[in-house]
Amino acid sequence: MQHLRHRLRLSTLLIGLNVGLLLLAVTGVAFVAVRLLQQLADEQSLARVSQAGLIARQEIILAGDDALTSARLLGERPTLRRLLQANDSTSLSTFLSQFQLTSELSGSAVLRDGAIVARSGADLPWTTILANQQPGEMRFLLPAPGNEALVLGAWSQVTEQPGALVIVAHLLDPAFAEQLSAEINLPVTVLNRQSMQLPGDTQLDGLRRLALETGTPGAARIDELGQYVAIAPIRSFSADLVGLVEIHMPTSSTTDSLQKLFQTLLLLTLLVTTLAALMSFLLGRRLGSPLQALTVAAERIGTGDLSTPVPVASGAEIGTLATTLEEMRRHLLQLTADLRRQQAEAQAIVTGIVEGVFTVDRQRRIRYLNPQAAALLGVDVDSAIGRFCGDVLNPQGPGGARPCEEQCPILHARFRGGARATEHLLLKDGQRRTVVITSAQPVDELQVQVMRDETEIEATRRLRDSVLANISHEFRTPLSAQLASIELLLDQLPELSIDQIGQLVLALQRGTLRLTQLIDNLLESARLESGQATIRNRPVALDEVVETALELTRPLIAQRQQEVVIELPYPLPMISGDAPRLTQVLVNLLANANKFAPTGSTIQIGGSVDAATVTLWVQDQGPGLPPQAGSSLFGRFVRSTAEEPEQSGVGLGLWITKSIVERHSGRIEVQSSGSGTRMCIILPQEQTYENIGR
């Protein structure tokens, strides 16, 4: 009875101890986890709304840049100049309304000598806005008189019309804020500083006052509103603080998740506690086992059988012995499993890494070789084991001599604690590889070597050097021509006629255009390579894209006395896309046609519209493409093998053209014959502006 009572007390103790420790651990972990998760959720939510505020402010700045671009494009439009010269205010207003719709502007106006000639969109005091502009600044961001919204816009001179200006503007009103909200997926409010009233002592008013006083962004959790709020100041282009951007996000998105987590933890605690109590009870009742069973169990452990549990013995002393044996078996089993797992992990790491790994002994004989090293060296693992590493790797030094004695990184690592060397290996099949071998200090007579293949990196470096040499050559040719024209102007300016000066200036303009096109292609290539090039979907008029591209390339076409014939269907539909990038596509195709077509030939620009696609094409009268050109013509740094009348460029134009068209969900096709080449740009009809508006 005494042993029975002792055994029962032990069972009770085990149950109480296990359940108590489990409850304490789970409760402590749950409490700390919930607090940490709440803090982390607040930090992440504040970081999200803060980032959204900065993004919204950056979008406003980008809208100002777009407004400046729109103003410049509007000022350069030939239609605008023609209507101004004709003093046709009615047609000019209609033209402004169409431009405003296309550019998604709130309003626009044309002024001549300070007086408004025509306007469209929002009724804004254009003359007052222009009078408040800072000298030299063509953009503006200021409160709209008589309106609680801010007005963002830009102005530009009208080409060839002295005293004429165009002004375009966006109203940062609720509609504009709704567009920003859709872009960042959070509610956005744009506040005008002049119309803001901050009489209260609420946390939101304090956050707004702090942003206005310090001019720095701020964010806070406002429990009285149940919102995370971030505020970013908006400054005008003259650095005056004119308003605030305010971002809201409800706190319920985090509190609901934390509440569900707490309920789950509570249920899990109850379940685990119940299971632990049951397991402890059963374990306490089975703490006794016959001595013979313990002897058999000890013999099994002695022979290496660790998978069979030790039976539970009855009685205090035998039960203690059984528990001790079981614990010893478990520890041995755990240690064995850990050793096997560590061995498997080490094997997986060595066989799974990209680098080749091999080990050598004191005599530098190979004792281990992973599959990557064997594949890198082109040898069989079994045939390499036991051989001298220099015979397997076959490194080639200057003059073909092996650096195994004087420059061996394995020997250097034994005295320096580690070594690294670049080796040039000659494989059995005649291939050459450049590898970097890192040697460690010997451990238990074995020395680990890590071998990284840098053959492709070396090839990349050579390609980079070749590309840089080509770029330097292509820059040098037009620069040399420009320098010669400038020197001729400086030396003989008093003696030159107006026509001669005009020819030299035209030559400078053509050289500048070639340099600009080359730089644009290089910059676009860098943006594509880094993944930063994005397409901004805006309504685009394809006839305006063609007109702009033709204006940009007109000096090159005039240089070779070529004629451009335009045969576009009317009307061309509006599409959704990036107008500057589509213009760059047409400029690249026109420049190619200008370069390959003979002097005095005709370049045709045409197109077609069907139910599924919109097509634009540029055709020249050049010699056509080689039969083997195919899709490789659009590769990066690929240049045509055909005879060219002038420098060939660096092979980026068609690659960039294809990338831009594909990012518009379109494709580019080439049709070539002995009498010329036709480059076709095909855009899907479902991308049209009308379809998007439905």
Side-chain angles (χ1 to χ4, degrees):
M1 290 298 296
Q2 183 177 2
H3 290 293
L4 179 60
R5 289 194 299 270
H6 181 70
R7 189 165 61 249
L8 291 175
R9 288 195 297 270
L10 181 59
S11 301
T12 305
L13 178 62
L14 285 173
I15 294 174
L17 181 62
N18 288 339
V19 172
L21 288 176
L22 184 61
L23 284 175
L24 180 62
V26 172
T27 303
V29 170
F31 178 77
V32 174
V34 170
R35 291 293 301 273
L36 290 177
L37 287 174
Q38 177 66 60
Q39 181 180 357
L40 180 61
D42 288 342
E43 292 176 354
Q44 290 182 342
S45 298
L46 290 175
R48 180 184 175 188
V49 295
S50 298
Q51 183 66 23
L54 296 178
I55 292 174
R57 185 171 65 178
Q58 184 63 29
E59 287 294 329
I60 293 175
I61 296 175
L62 291 177
D65 295 339
D66 290 342
L68 179 58
T69 302
S70 298
R72 288 175 174 170
L73 289 175
L74 180 59
E76 295 173 356
R77 295 290 293 273
T79 305
L80 179 69
R81 296 197 302 269
R82 178 174 55 78
L83 294 176
L84 272 175
Q85 290 174 353
N87 290 323
D88 190 350
S89 300
T90 302
S91 299
L92 191 57
S93 298
T94 303
F95 175 77
L96 289 179
S97 298
Q98 182 182 3
F99 182 84
Q100 174 193 340
L101 176 63
T102 303
S103 303
E104 296 184 350
L105 297 168
S106 300
S108 60
V110 177
L111 290 80
R112 175 181 286 165
D113 298 328
I116 298 176
V117 178
R119 68 175 69 186
S120 66
D123 187 13
L124 297 174
W126 300 106
T127 56
T128 304
I129 291 174
L130 189 62
N132 292 331
Q133 277 299 96
Q134 295 292 330
E137 179 59 57
M138 302 181 70
R139 298 171 297 174
F140 56 85
L141 175 58
L142 68 164
N147 195 319
E148 294 184 357
L150 297 173
V151 59
L152 170 69
W155 65 273
S156 178
Q157 297 282 350
V158 178
T159 306
E160 298 178 1
Q161 293 293 318
L165 303 175
V166 292
I167 308 179
V168 298
H170 290 284
L171 275 177
L172 306 189
D173 53 8
F176 184 87
E178 185 176 351
Q179 292 180 357
L180 287 181
S181 302
E183 291 184 8
I184 64 178
N185 294 324
L186 286 176
V188 178
T189 305
V190 181
L191 302 176
N192 186 345
R193 180 177 185 178
Q194 293 183 357
S195 61
M196 291 175 59
Q197 300 294 330
L198 304 174
D201 294 330
T202 63
Q203 190 176 356
L204 179 59
D205 289 339
L207 190 62
R208 290 174 176 174
R209 280 194 295 267
L210 181 62
L212 291 175
E213 292 172 358
T214 62
T216 57
R221 172 174 174 162
I222 303 179
D223 292 326
E224 60 187 16
L225 299 178
Q227 299 278 335
Y228 295 100
V229 179
I231 295 179
I234 304 175
R235 295 185 180 274
S236 68
F237 296 101
S238 59
D240 295 330
L241 201 156
V242 296
L244 300 175
V245 171
E246 194 169 285
I247 311 296
H248 291 257
M249 187 176 74
T251 58
S252 59
S253 60
T254 58
T255 56
D256 293 345
S257 300
L258 289 175
Q259 185 177 3
K260 292 180 181 178
L261 174 63
F262 181 77
Q263 294 174 354
T264 303
L265 289 176
L266 181 59
L267 293 176
L268 182 62
T269 301
L270 294 176
L271 178 61
V272 173
T273 302
T274 303
L275 292 176
L278 180 61
M279 293 293 293
S280 300
F281 175 74
L282 295 176
L283 181 61
R285 292 193 59 182
R286 293 177 62 88
L287 284 178
S289 179
L291 184 60
Q292 184 63 36
L294 292 179
T295 303
V296 174
E299 291 177 353
R300 286 199 303 266
I301 293 174
T303 58
D305 182 8
L306 301 177
S307 60
T308 305
V310 176
V312 179
S314 60
E317 293 81 3
I318 299 178
T320 303
L321 179 59
T323 303
T324 304
L325 286 176
E326 176 64 13
E327 290 296 326
M328 181 182 67
R329 183 194 68 83
R330 290 180 180 179
H331 283 116
L332 289 175
L333 184 61
Q334 182 65 36
L335 289 174
T336 304
D338 290 343
L339 289 175
R340 290 174 179 172
R341 185 176 65 255
Q342 291 175 5
Q343 182 179 9
E345 289 176 353
Q347 184 70 21
I349 292 173
V350 172
T351 57
I353 61 176
V354 177
E355 290 80 4
V357 177
F358 64 96
T359 60
V360 297
D361 56 17
R362 298 295 297 181
Q363 288 74 35
R364 291 183 286 174
R365 292 190 295 264
I366 295 178
R367 294 304 180 189
Y368 171 79
L369 193 73
N370 74 340
Q372 289 80 357
L376 182 64
L377 299 174
V379 298
D380 182 68
V381 175
D382 295 333
S383 63
I385 299 298
R387 295 175 57 191
F388 180 64
C389 64
D391 296 335
V392 177
L393 273 66
N394 194 18
Q396 302 293 307
R402 292 201 314 190
C404 293
E405 299 302 329
E406 297 181 357
Q407 299 179 359
C408 180
I410 300 176
L411 296 178
H412 292 174
R414 295 176 181 177
F415 302 100
R416 300 176 183 175
R420 185 177 183 181
T422 300
E423 301 286 359
H424 303 282
L425 309 182
L426 178 61
L427 305 186
K428 292 190 301 182
D429 57 1
Q431 294 185 11
R432 294 184 178 272
R433 290 191 179 274
T434 301
V435 299
V436 175
I437 299 179
T438 304
S439 301
Q441 280 187 323
V443 177
D444 295 334
E445 300 297 322
L446 290 179
Q447 194 170 359
V448 178
Q449 319 293 318
V450 179
M451 181 168 52
R452 184 175 73 251
D453 187 8
E454 290 199 352
T455 306
E456 295 183 359
I457 297 177
E458 286 292 326
T460 302
R461 293 194 185 103
R462 290 193 295 270
L463 176 60
R464 178 198 62 191
D465 295 340
S466 175
V467 171
L468 289 177
N470 288 334
I471 292 173
S472 301
H473 170 73
E474 300 307 327
F475 270 98
R476 187 179 295 111
T477 300
L479 285 175
S480 298
Q482 286 184 318
L483 181 60
S485 299
I486 292 172
E487 289 177 351
L488 184 59
L489 277 173
L490 291 175
D491 293 341
Q492 303 181 14
L493 183 60
E495 304 173 3
L496 295 175
S497 64
I498 297 299
D499 293 339
Q500 291 174 329
I501 293 175
Q503 292 176 359
L504 291 175
V505 172
L506 184 60
L508 290 173
Q509 182 188 21
R510 290 192 293 265
T512 303
L513 179 59
R514 290 192 182 97
L515 286 174
T516 301
Q517 183 185 3
L518 180 59
I519 292 171
D520 288 343
N521 284 341
L522 291 173
L523 291 176
E524 186 70 17
S525 171
R527 284 192 290 266
L528 289 171
E529 186 71 15
S530 63
Q532 297 177 359
T534 58
I535 295 299
R536 303 185 66 186
N537 285 324
R538 296 289 187 273
V540 177
L542 290 177
D543 52 352
E544 295 179 2
V545 170
V546 173
E547 180 181 346
T548 304
L550 189 59
E551 287 294 328
L552 291 174
T553 56
R554 194 175 299 279
L556 295 179
I557 295 173
Q559 179 188 12
R560 306 195 65 186
Q561 300 176 0
Q562 294 167 336
E563 180 183 1
V564 178
V565 177
I566 301 177
E567 298 177 353
L568 293 175
Y570 181 83
L572 277 175
M574 300 284 290
I575 71 167
S576 178
D578 195 326
R581 292 224 158 87
L582 290 175
T583 301
Q584 185 178 3
V585 168
L586 265 296
V587 167
N588 284 344
L589 296 184
L590 285 172
N592 271 5
N594 163 259
K595 180 167 54 178
F596 287 99
T599 300
S601 62
T602 299
I603 299 174
Q604 293 181 324
I605 301 176
S608 62
V609 179
D610 56 30
T613 59
V614 180
T615 303
L616 291 178
W617 49 263
V618 176
Q619 181 169 350
D620 59 50
Q621 295 179 343
L625 295 173
Q628 69 276 13
S631 60
S632 64
L633 186 67
F634 299 97
R636 193 180 185 196
F637 300 117
V638 174
R639 295 184 293 180
S640 172
T641 57
E643 186 68 23
E644 299 187 13
E646 54 185 46
Q647 64 269 19
S648 59
V650 295
L652 289 175
L654 290 180
W655 177 72
I656 291 173
T657 298
K658 181 174 180 291
S659 300
I660 293 174
V661 172
E662 288 179 347
R663 281 182 289 136
H664 280 79
S665 301
R667 68 183 189 275
I668 183 169
E669 295 180 353
V670 57
Q671 303 170 4
S672 180
S673 63
S675 60
T677 301
R678 173 180 288 190
M679 292 287 184
C680 299
I681 305 167
I682 304 171
L683 299 174
Q685 183 75 340
E686 59 265 19
Q687 291 290 325
T688 58
Y689 179 64
E690 290 81 356
N691 291 337
I692 289 176
R694 295 190 182 120

